Amino acid sequence: MKTIYNKILAGIFCLGMLNACDIEEFPYDSVTDDELVSNSASVETITLGNYSYMKERNFHTAVHFAGEYTSDNVLYSGQSTSSNFYIYNYQRIPTCSILTDLWTYSYKLIVNCNKVILTAKEGVSKETDHLIGENYFLRGMFYHLLAITYGKDYHIASASDLAVPLKLSADPDDCPPRATVQKVYEQIIKDLKKAEELMGNSGVEKNACYANVWAAKAMLSRVYLYMHDYANAESYATDVIDHSGKQLLNNTQYRTMNELVPESNPEAILAIRMLKDIDYSKSRSAAMYTIIDGDGWGEVYASQPLLEAFQKYPNDVRSVFIVPQYTEAKDKDGKLIEELYFISENFFYNNDKTPAEDPLHRHYYRFQPVKNTGSGYQIVTDEKKDFFEYDSPNVLERPDGSLYVRARQVYRENGEVVGRAEWKEYTVHIQNQMKKRNDYPQYFINKLAYQEKNALLNSPMLIRLSEMYLNRAEARHFLNNDPGAIEDMNVIKRRAGIPDYNENSDGEVLDAILDEARKEFYCEAHRKYDLLRNDKVIDRHYPGCHDRGAESSVVQEIRVTDDCAVQYIPQSEIDAYPIPLVQNP
């Protein structure tokens, strides 16, 4: 990390035209301490440079991968040697370039914040005070990001459990050891409250492209929730909901939320603003999720659990960004070909050729053509070749309207049946035939695409008003106020166009809140942390390349107490640091 500090202000970019978010970039090299004391323009220059760091693709995509690829919202459709695949399958390596970038950019920004915080003088002007407050906010937000990536969850951390070095100076020779999780959180709260004070008293108003007092209050609500300080989490969320002037998009507006720039989105509290003429190459967070006009890779899709969350209420407006890719293939009569699918567990032979269940419970999509007979669906199969057989050719219907088949796997050698598994009832879904990659159906996600109708342009959203409703719902649940929690949850459900909370259909209150958060914030890097801070298991027993490889290396259930829930400290930083940096287990 010392190598980072020696470049404290090197390569910073200044962002112009502050209030309009019509940002241009200019090269900038250094600012003296005297200039920071006497010249508010110099404070602005460094502050804007900090926002520019956040625009770097290697930074904001690292934040995304760390929070979203580690969740149960996505499936990777092919194995890869890319660092993001190691993050996705929990095969931690200390040389992961993506997590090294997250560490490096975070500390670059923190040291620049320190330069302003330690040198700029408060009281020179309201504008300067607001800028200093922005630096406190950014430092607090980035320390929280580092803490949840490289340290244990606050609520399970002991007094001796370590997070990250708490660097509070701009001195390149100051290289502190890793601070405890508790100490880092103390500093986060201190910074965010100072930001709240300075920006709240300045009277300066800024839009969602930049930190302001409401961003500070919203971030405090989030951090207190992670700390299980539910009273403060509720209080700050309420303040933002009641007094920030932010409003939820309505159901119709939400359908094109991805097209809006942050300053035009009434529920955006803070986002990393990307410009179509300057930042397009940096903003391609969507590239792994979709292919638009031949642009993008389209290798990561919506997971089966995420799809099932939306199948409960198919009219949920939030599913509009999940776009299944159909083949439009037709049969000899000119009708679109339909298929059923279900999830099967993989089986294999042991040395005695006896069917045995795979101990890893690997899951695969199973597809089968079907035809509509007019009175129901029948399965189209060639039983002489198929590795599945069906108890009945008819797709059956349960009293609740769900469809199912009774099927079992057939074991063949050289075309001959040598064994069969037990009959099993599989819930099936019927759809038009889909395009697939490595037999994974291509459920593209366009939530991070189409800003200003530009294919892969996106301004990463950091805080939205809807989070405040769900933060408050979670806090109220733990404060024994389920009626209040349900009221907040229903605000989000009604905006989505789905029925109010019902215990029979939505389950326990906390589970229902987390389910709404999943549907509200998929692709916004919340899901992993939402589950772990509530002691929920990240259950990855669904199709995807996360369950490939040797049994000893496959991770399909992640708990908050597991070592793999915490990322390794980058080895390059350990090697360069002048004092020992203890590696995570």
Side-chain angles (χ1 to χ4, degrees):
M1 185 158 46
K2 187 174 180 180
T3 57
I4 297 172
Y5 299 156
N6 285 330
K7 303 175 183 177
I8 291 173
L9 297 175
I12 296 178
F13 289 96
C14 172
L15 314 182
M17 302 185 68
L18 180 65
N19 292 325
C21 280
D22 185 11
I23 300 170
E24 298 177 10
E25 296 185 322
F26 302 94
Y28 193 77
D29 291 323
S30 63
V31 173
T32 68
D33 289 356
D34 289 343
E35 287 176 315
L36 277 171
V37 171
S38 61
N39 188 346
S40 61
S42 297
V43 178
E44 184 178 45
T45 297
I46 293 184
T47 304
L48 295 174
N50 287 336
Y51 290 108
S52 183
Y53 269 134
M54 295 164 64
K55 288 155 65 79
E56 290 299 318
R57 186 181 180 189
N58 284 4
F59 166 70
H60 65 78
T61 56
V63 175
H64 180 84
F65 291 146
E68 197 67 24
Y69 277 34
T70 51
S71 76
D72 53 1
N73 281 342
V74 298
L75 74 84
Y76 217 124
S77 64
Q79 298 188 59
S80 170
T81 57
S82 172
S83 288
N84 59 26
F85 190 73
Y86 289 102
I87 294 172
Y88 165 77
N89 66 11
Y90 280 85
Q91 302 305 308
R92 297 181 302 159
I93 54 172
T95 56
C96 177
S97 61
I98 290 172
L99 294 170
T100 300
D101 286 337
L102 191 154
W103 177 287
T104 301
Y105 278 98
S106 296
Y107 274 105
K108 284 181 179 179
L109 183 141
I110 285 169
V111 173
N112 288 333
C113 290
N114 293 345
K115 183 78 171 178
V116 172
I117 290 168
L118 295 172
T119 311
K121 187 176 180 181
E122 295 178 24
V124 172
S125 68
K126 292 182 178 180
E127 290 75 15
T128 300
D129 281 355
H130 196 285
L131 289 165
I132 298 171
E134 289 179 63
N135 282 273
Y136 274 109
F137 170 85
L138 291 172
R139 188 171 75 176
M141 182 178 70
F142 272 71
Y143 268 128
H144 186 248
L145 171 64
L146 290 168
I148 61 177
T149 304
Y150 301 105
K152 288 185 178 181
D153 270 48
Y154 182 88
H155 76 284
I156 67 162
S158 70
S160 60
D161 280 327
L162 300 176
V164 294
L166 202 53
K167 173 76 172 178
L168 301 177
S169 77
D171 180 358
D173 294 321
D174 173 30
C175 299
R178 290 180 68 184
T180 65
V181 172
Q182 293 178 6
K183 287 294 184 183
V184 172
Y185 268 83
E186 287 174 11
Q187 187 62 46
I188 293 166
I189 295 297
K190 184 177 178 180
D191 281 351
L192 293 175
K193 285 190 171 182
K194 183 66 173 180
E196 176 191 11
E197 173 194 338
L198 287 169
M199 294 189 290
N201 292 335
S202 73
V204 175
E205 296 185 3
K206 292 186 178 181
N207 59 37
C209 302
Y210 307 96
N212 57 37
V213 65
W214 301 111
K217 290 175 183 285
M219 194 66 200
L220 279 162
S221 173
R222 179 188 294 178
V223 174
Y224 278 126
L225 196 66
Y226 279 58
M227 298 173 69
H228 290 194
D229 183 342
Y230 300 115
N232 272 313
E234 179 193 33
S235 176
Y236 274 102
T238 298
D239 198 0
V240 176
I241 291 168
D242 291 347
H243 303 117
S244 68
K246 296 292 180 180
Q247 296 180 336
L248 294 176
L249 296 166
N250 64 35
N251 181 279
T252 301
Q253 293 168 329
Y254 194 94
R255 296 173 185 273
T256 55
M257 177 179 69
N258 56 334
E259 297 180 13
L260 298 175
V261 294
E263 62 270 27
S264 299
N265 184 340
E267 71 176 72
I269 295 175
L270 185 65
I272 302 173
R273 178 64 158 99
M274 296 294 187
L275 299 174
K276 60 183 179 181
D277 297 326
I278 297 173
D279 302 314
Y280 187 79
S281 64
K282 299 178 182 178
S283 69
R284 294 159 55 88
S285 299
M288 289 296 290
Y289 291 108
T290 190
I291 300 173
I292 301 173
D293 298 330
D295 198 4
W297 295 286
E299 297 179 1
V300 177
Y301 312 136
S303 70
Q304 187 61 30
L306 180 60
L307 296 173
E308 290 173 351
F310 282 118
Q311 285 165 356
K312 184 188 300 183
Y313 301 114
N315 294 326
D316 192 320
V317 69
R318 295 167 295 189
S319 67
V320 70
F321 304 118
I322 299 177
V323 186
Q325 303 298 295
Y326 297 113
T327 65
E328 299 185 2
K330 297 180 180 179
D331 62 20
K332 58 184 176 62
D333 297 321
K335 296 181 180 179
L336 289 172
I337 295 176
E338 293 182 294
E339 63 186 1
L340 65 78
Y341 76 88
F342 58 87
I343 310 301
S344 68
E345 292 181 351
N346 182 45
F347 293 83
F348 68 95
Y349 291 125
N350 65 19
N351 293 333
D352 296 325
K353 303 296 184 184
T354 303
E357 190 171 356
D358 185 335
L360 289 179
H361 299 286
R362 289 185 169 96
H363 290 73
Y364 293 86
Y365 282 103
R366 171 68 185 172
F367 299 95
Q368 196 73 44
V370 292
K371 62 180 180 180
N372 193 335
T373 65
S375 59
Y377 285 95
Q378 283 190 348
I379 300 166
V380 180
T381 183
D382 183 349
E383 293 186 356
K384 294 182 179 180
K385 297 180 180 179
D386 203 351
F387 286 87
F388 264 82
E389 62 183 10
Y390 300 87
D391 192 28
S392 165
N394 298 314
V395 178
L396 307 173
E397 184 174 353
R398 300 188 182 101
D400 65 2
S402 63
L403 303 178
Y404 72 99
V405 295
R406 275 175 47 83
R408 63 184 176 185
Q409 190 165 357
V410 177
Y411 304 94
R412 297 179 185 274
E413 284 187 358
N414 301 318
E416 298 297 323
V417 175
V418 295
R420 289 179 170 90
E422 297 294 325
W423 289 109
K424 184 174 181 180
E425 188 174 292
Y426 292 96
T427 297
V428 302
H429 302 279
I430 295 176
Q431 60 193 13
N432 291 336
Q433 188 179 68
M434 283 190 66
K435 298 177 182 178
K436 303 172 182 72
R437 180 175 187 264
N438 297 327
D439 214 32
Y440 297 108
Q442 293 183 315
Y443 283 95
F444 285 174
I445 303 176
N446 288 343
K447 193 176 188 180
L448 307 180
Y450 288 118
Q451 178 182 306
E452 302 167 272
K453 301 188 183 300
N454 290 270
L456 298 182
L457 184 64
N458 167 258
S459 291
M461 189 65 64
L462 301 179
I463 313 175
R464 288 198 282 128
L465 182 63
S466 54
E467 182 190 345
M468 296 300 101
Y469 280 99
L470 292 171
N471 282 3
R472 190 168 70 175
E474 186 177 324
R476 284 177 166 176
H477 167 71
F478 285 105
L479 291 170
N480 299 314
N481 180 11
D482 274 352
I486 292 168
E487 180 183 349
D488 282 334
M489 181 173 26
N490 284 341
V491 170
I492 302 303
K493 289 171 75 73
R494 290 168 191 162
R495 192 268 290 279
I498 63 177
D500 282 1
Y501 168 77
N502 181 289
E503 185 177 1
N504 292 328
S505 57
D506 295 328
E508 297 291 335
V509 171
L510 178 60
D511 291 335
I513 293 168
L514 295 176
D515 189 54
E516 290 310 309
R518 161 185 240 164
K519 292 182 286 186
E520 185 70 22
F521 301 118
Y522 68 93
C523 283
E524 296 181 49
H526 288 272
R527 177 68 173 170
K528 172 188 177 182
Y529 312 116
D530 289 349
L531 291 174
L532 294 186
R533 75 164 176 272
N534 283 292
D535 298 314
K536 300 290 185 179
V537 177
I538 302 174
D539 185 351
R540 307 182 104 198
H541 288 93
Y542 59 85
C545 286
H546 50 275
D547 66 358
R548 301 301 180 261
E551 181 179 355
S552 60
S553 66
V554 171
V555 181
Q556 292 182 286
E557 295 182 2
I558 301 93
R559 294 168 174 79
V560 69
T561 53
D562 292 341
D563 288 344
C564 67
V566 180
Q567 300 292 354
Y568 282 137
I569 304 296
Q571 189 62 44
S572 59
E573 297 303 323
I574 292 176
D575 293 342
Y577 215 61
I579 64 172
L581 276 182
V582 179
Q583 181 60 279
N584 286 324

